[in-house]
Coordinates of all heavy atoms in Angstrom, one line a residue:
A1 N -3.4 13.4 8.8 CA -2.2 12.7 9.3 C -1.8 11.7 8.3 O -2.6 11.1 7.6 CB -2.5 12.1 10.7
A2 N -0.5 11.5 8.3 CA 0.1 10.5 7.3 C -0.2 9.1 7.8 O -0.4 8.2 7.0 CB 1.6 10.7 7.2
K3 N -0.3 8.9 9.1 CA -0.6 7.6 9.7 C -1.7 7.6 10.7 O -1.9 8.6 11.4 CB 0.7 7.0 10.4 CG 1.9 6.9 9.5 CD 1.8 5.8 8.5 CE 3.0 5.6 7.6 NZ 2.9 4.5 6.6
G4 N -2.5 6.5 10.7 CA -3.4 6.3 11.8 C -4.8 6.9 11.6 O -5.6 6.8 12.5
Q5 N -5.1 7.5 10.5 CA -6.4 8.1 10.2 C -6.9 7.6 8.9 O -6.7 6.4 8.5 CB -6.4 9.6 10.3 CG -6.1 10.1 11.8 CD -5.9 11.6 11.9 OE1 -5.3 12.1 12.9 NE2 -6.4 12.4 11.0
D6 N -7.5 8.5 8.1 CA -8.1 8.0 6.8 C -7.1 7.7 5.8 O -7.3 6.8 4.9 CB -9.1 9.0 6.3 CG -8.4 10.4 6.0 OD1 -7.8 11.0 6.9 OD2 -8.5 10.8 4.8
L7 N -6.0 8.4 5.7 CA -5.0 8.3 4.6 C -4.5 6.9 4.4 O -4.4 6.4 3.2 CB -3.9 9.3 4.8 CG -3.0 9.5 3.5 CD1 -3.9 10.2 2.4 CD2 -1.8 10.4 3.9
D8 N -4.1 6.2 5.4 CA -3.5 4.9 5.3 C -4.4 3.8 5.8 O -4.0 2.7 6.1 CB -2.1 4.8 6.1 CG -2.3 4.9 7.6 OD1 -3.3 5.5 8.0 OD2 -1.4 4.5 8.3
F9 N -5.7 4.1 5.9 CA -6.6 3.1 6.6 C -7.0 1.9 5.7 O -7.0 0.8 6.2 CB -7.9 3.9 6.9 CG -9.0 3.0 7.5 CD1 -8.8 2.5 8.8 CD2 -10.1 2.7 6.8 CE1 -9.8 1.7 9.4 CE2 -11.1 1.9 7.4 CZ -11.0 1.5 8.7
D10 N -7.2 2.2 4.4 CA -7.7 1.1 3.5 C -6.7 0.6 2.6 O -6.3 1.2 1.6 CB -8.9 1.7 2.7 CG -9.8 0.7 2.1 OD1 -9.3 -0.4 1.9 OD2 -10.9 1.0 1.8
P11 N -6.2 -0.7 2.8 CA -5.2 -1.2 1.9 C -5.7 -1.5 0.5 O -4.9 -1.6 -0.4 CB -4.8 -2.6 2.6 CG -6.0 -2.9 3.5 CD -6.6 -1.6 3.9
E12 N -7.0 -1.5 0.3 CA -7.5 -1.7 -1.0 C -7.3 -0.4 -1.9 O -7.2 -0.5 -3.2 CB -9.0 -1.9 -1.0 CG -9.6 -2.3 -2.3 CD -11.1 -2.8 -2.1 OE1 -11.5 -3.2 -1.0 OE2 -11.8 -2.8 -3.2
F13 N -7.1 0.7 -1.3 CA -6.8 1.9 -2.0 C -5.6 2.6 -1.5 O -5.7 3.7 -0.8 CB -8.1 2.9 -2.0 CG -9.3 2.2 -2.5 CD1 -10.3 1.7 -1.6 CD2 -9.6 2.1 -3.8 CE1 -11.4 1.1 -2.0 CE2 -10.7 1.4 -4.3 CZ -11.6 0.9 -3.4
P14 N -4.4 2.1 -1.7 CA -3.2 2.7 -1.1 C -2.9 4.0 -1.8 O -3.2 4.2 -3.0 CB -2.1 1.6 -1.4 CG -2.6 0.9 -2.6 CD -4.1 0.9 -2.5
I15 N -2.2 4.8 -1.1 CA -1.7 6.1 -1.6 C -0.4 5.8 -2.4 O 0.6 5.4 -1.9 CB -1.4 7.1 -0.5 CG1 -2.7 7.4 0.3 CG2 -0.8 8.4 -1.1 CD1 -3.8 7.9 -0.5
T16 N -0.5 6.1 -3.7 CA 0.7 5.9 -4.6 C 1.4 7.1 -4.9 O 2.6 7.1 -5.4 CB 0.2 5.2 -5.9 OG1 -0.8 6.0 -6.5 CG2 -0.4 3.8 -5.6
N17 N 0.8 8.3 -4.7 CA 1.5 9.5 -5.0 C 2.0 10.1 -3.7 O 1.2 10.5 -2.8 CB 0.5 10.5 -5.7 CG 1.2 11.8 -6.0 OD1 2.3 12.1 -5.7 ND2 0.4 12.7 -6.7
P18 N 3.4 10.2 -3.5 CA 3.9 10.7 -2.3 C 3.5 12.1 -2.0 O 3.6 12.6 -0.8 CB 5.4 10.5 -2.4 CG 5.6 10.5 -3.9 CD 4.4 9.9 -4.5
E19 N 3.1 12.9 -3.0 CA 2.8 14.3 -2.8 C 1.4 14.4 -2.1 O 1.1 15.5 -1.6 CB 2.8 15.0 -4.1 CG 4.2 15.3 -4.6 CD 4.2 16.4 -5.6 OE1 3.2 17.1 -5.8 OE2 5.3 16.6 -6.3
I20 N 0.6 13.4 -2.0 CA -0.7 13.5 -1.4 C -0.5 14.0 0.1 O -1.2 14.9 0.5 CB -1.4 12.1 -1.4 CG1 -1.8 11.7 -2.8 CG2 -2.6 12.2 -0.5 CD1 -2.9 12.6 -3.4
I21 N 0.4 13.4 0.8 CA 0.5 13.8 2.2 C 1.1 15.2 2.3 O 0.8 16.0 3.2 CB 1.4 12.8 3.0 CG1 1.4 13.2 4.5 CG2 2.8 12.7 2.4 CD1 0.1 13.3 5.2
W22 N 1.9 15.6 1.3 CA 2.5 17.0 1.3 C 1.3 18.0 1.1 O 1.3 19.0 1.7 CB 3.5 17.1 0.2 CG 4.7 16.2 0.3 CD1 5.0 15.4 1.4 CD2 5.7 16.0 -0.7 NE1 6.1 14.7 1.1 CE2 6.6 15.0 -0.1 CE3 5.9 16.4 -2.0 CZ2 7.7 14.6 -0.8 CZ3 7.0 16.0 -2.7 CH2 7.9 15.1 -2.1
R23 N 0.4 17.6 0.2 CA -0.8 18.5 0.0 C -1.6 18.6 1.3 O -2.1 19.7 1.7 CB -1.7 18.0 -1.1 CG -1.0 18.0 -2.5 CD -2.0 17.3 -3.5 NE -1.2 16.9 -4.6 CZ -1.7 16.0 -5.5 NH1 -2.9 15.5 -5.4 NH2 -1.0 15.7 -6.6
L24 N -1.7 17.5 2.0 CA -2.5 17.5 3.2 C -1.8 18.3 4.3 O -2.4 19.0 5.1 CB -2.8 16.1 3.7 CG -3.7 15.3 2.7 CD1 -3.9 13.9 3.3 CD2 -5.0 16.0 2.4
R25 N -0.5 18.2 4.3 CA 0.3 19.0 5.3 C 0.1 20.5 5.0 O 0.1 21.3 5.9 CB 1.8 18.6 5.3 CG 2.0 17.2 5.8 CD 3.5 17.0 6.2 NE 3.8 15.6 6.5 CZ 3.5 15.1 7.7 NH1 2.8 15.8 8.6 NH2 3.8 13.8 7.9
A26 N 0.0 20.8 3.7 CA -0.3 22.2 3.3 C -1.6 22.7 3.8 O -1.8 23.8 4.3 CB -0.2 22.4 1.8

């Protein structure tokens, strides 16, 4: 999921590549 699980959990390691969630949706 884009929100509420592991992907956006840790502010110390933010997702900077917007394609990450696209890969996970795939």
Side-chain angles (χ1 to χ4, degrees):
K3 300 290 183 183
Q5 292 173 205
D6 63 301
L7 192 65
D8 67 336
F9 178 70
D10 195 337
E12 189 172 339
F13 304 101
I15 299 301
T16 57
N17 181 353
E19 287 198 13
I20 292 292
I21 185 56
W22 299 349
R23 294 175 200 165
L24 297 181
R25 292 196 189 283

